[in-house]
Structure formats: C-alpha cells, structure tokens
Amino acid sequence: MGNTTADDRTVTVRMPSVWLWLIGVGATLLGLGAGFAVAPFVDWLIDLVGSAPGPLRLAAKLPTRWAVPIGTVLGAGLGAWAAVAARQESPVLTVAADHLAIHRDGSGLHIPRDRIATIFTDGRDLVALDPNESELARVRASDLPTGHLRDAFARFDYPWRGSTDPREAEFSVWIDGTTDLDEAAHTLLRARKRALSDKRAGAAEDALDGLRRLGVAVRDRKGAQQYRPPRPGPRDPAES
C-alpha cells in the first residue's frame, strides 16, 4: 500500500511517501522556473509600478546561466525543508486489536479499543467517540488516505462509520454566552480562541482537553469554533 505497514498484530498508516516526493520535486521545478523568469518579471514589475524589491532586482542582474542553477538549488532546499516539516506535522496511526495509537509532532495518544464506540472522518479530522458519544480524539488526518484508514480499522473490527459524524446536525458556531453551555465551557472556549489567535498550540490543546472532560466536542470551521454540547445523562467514569 506504500504508506501502510502491517504485521499480524498492527497496521500503521502514515502520509504516502509519494506526496513528500511531489513536494520536493514541485519546489525544485518552481526554483528552476524562477531562474528563467526572474529577469522578465522584474522588468514587467518596473514597467507596471516603477520599482521592484531590492532582492528581486539583484537576482534579475544575474546571468541566466547562473540564475537557473541557483534558483534550482534554492527550490530544492525549500522543497526538502517543506517535505520534512510535512512529515513531522502529519499524524502516524498504529491500529492494533486492543488499542489505537496516534503519534504527531513528538507527542502521542493511546486509546484502548474497548473505549472506542465509533470512529470516522469529519472533514479533515479523524474522530473517535466513546459509548457516551463524547470525543476521545480529534486529529487532523487529511494526509492519510481514507481508504487505508478504513482497511486498517476493518482488519481489527473497529466500528468505522465512514466520513459522516453521526451527530453532525448538533454542531453550532460558538457564540459567547449561549445558554446550552455552562460558564466553565464558555471560559475554556474563550481561552482556546485566544490561544489559537496567539498561535499557542499547547494552550489551545489544554483548553480542548478541558472541554472534552465536560463532554463538549469542538471543531474548527472557516475560522470559527463549532461546538456540540454534551448530552444529558451519566458520564463515563473513565472521563472524570
């Protein structure tokens, strides 16, 4: 399968290696094209607005026989950096008969199989729900082919539900002060919004963990937080 590895006990799903090669090759080709195009582009820009940024003017003065290899090398370097960053940020899922493990950017999450009642993709996210339909995990998994996820979960008889959240209709855009959430949930949603605006990923994750403990599901859509309030009734003791 290219991006999966399997043995008798586990299946691991990760970003396909061909995508990383495409990133690297694409950036290299862009660098090559920039070497040919920089001088005509600067001339066009000067004719249009009367000036061009200093670095572009310097690059345009290079002979084509130098601009092309330099652009190609710079593009290759940028592509290699982008491929490494994409690999680090992409999750790696290991599916076993008794647990699901998710590793991403140096952190990991272990979920026992007997706590997972439903698992599916929701937009770009992979979501696991417990028997109370509260979120156990929501991880960005757009880099992982859905077909390979389905096959991995089917191998160990996980409750795969495809690409639709069974409670999709219950999500709403968060508005501070709505009465279907208590003040503790609103406080955490405020904290998460500030953390996301300030690009403090750790603080945003802490707030999300607190919301999950309250049974509130949260996802990001078009720059806004959407939430699903907890259902009334007893909570799973393992979540407290």
Side-chain angles (χ1 to χ4, degrees), residues 117-118 129-135 166-167 170 215 217 228 231:
T118 307
L129 303 181
D130 69 8
N132 294 324
E133 296 190 338
S134 295
E135 286 189 1
R167 297 177 61 189
E170 299 177 38
R228 185 180 63 206
R231 283 184 172 175

Side-chain angles (χ1 to χ4, degrees), residues 3 13-16 19 90-93 121 126 139-149:
N3 67 304
V13 184
R14 55 172 52 87
M15 175 192 285
W19 293 5
S90 179
V92 177
L93 269 65
T121 55
L126 178 69
V139 61
R140 186 63 54 84
S142 54
D143 298 332
L144 307 181
T146 301
H148 293 176
L149 291 173

Side-chain angles (χ1 to χ4, degrees), residues 108-189:
L109 177 65
H110 181 284
I111 307 173
R113 167 64 180 86
D114 58 11
R115 293 197 65 199
I116 300 174
T118 307
I119 193 162
F120 54 91
T121 55
D122 176 19
R124 295 183 293 177
D125 300 332
L126 178 69
V127 183
L129 303 181
D130 69 8
N132 294 324
E133 296 190 338
S134 295
E135 286 189 1
L136 296 168
R138 176 181 288 271
V139 61
R140 186 63 54 84
S142 54
D143 298 332
L144 307 181
T146 301
H148 293 176
L149 291 173
R150 180 192 63 235
D151 293 344
F153 292 127
R155 176 170 180 164
F156 296 105
D157 198 28
Y158 277 68
W160 174 252
R161 297 293 180 265
S163 58
T164 301
D165 188 326
R167 297 177 61 189
E168 170 69 26
E170 299 177 38
F171 276 97
S172 302
V173 175
W174 175 62
I175 300 174
D176 202 346
T178 52
T179 56
D180 57 347
L181 295 175
D182 60 22
E183 183 56 28
H186 282 300
T187 298
L188 287 166
L189 283 162

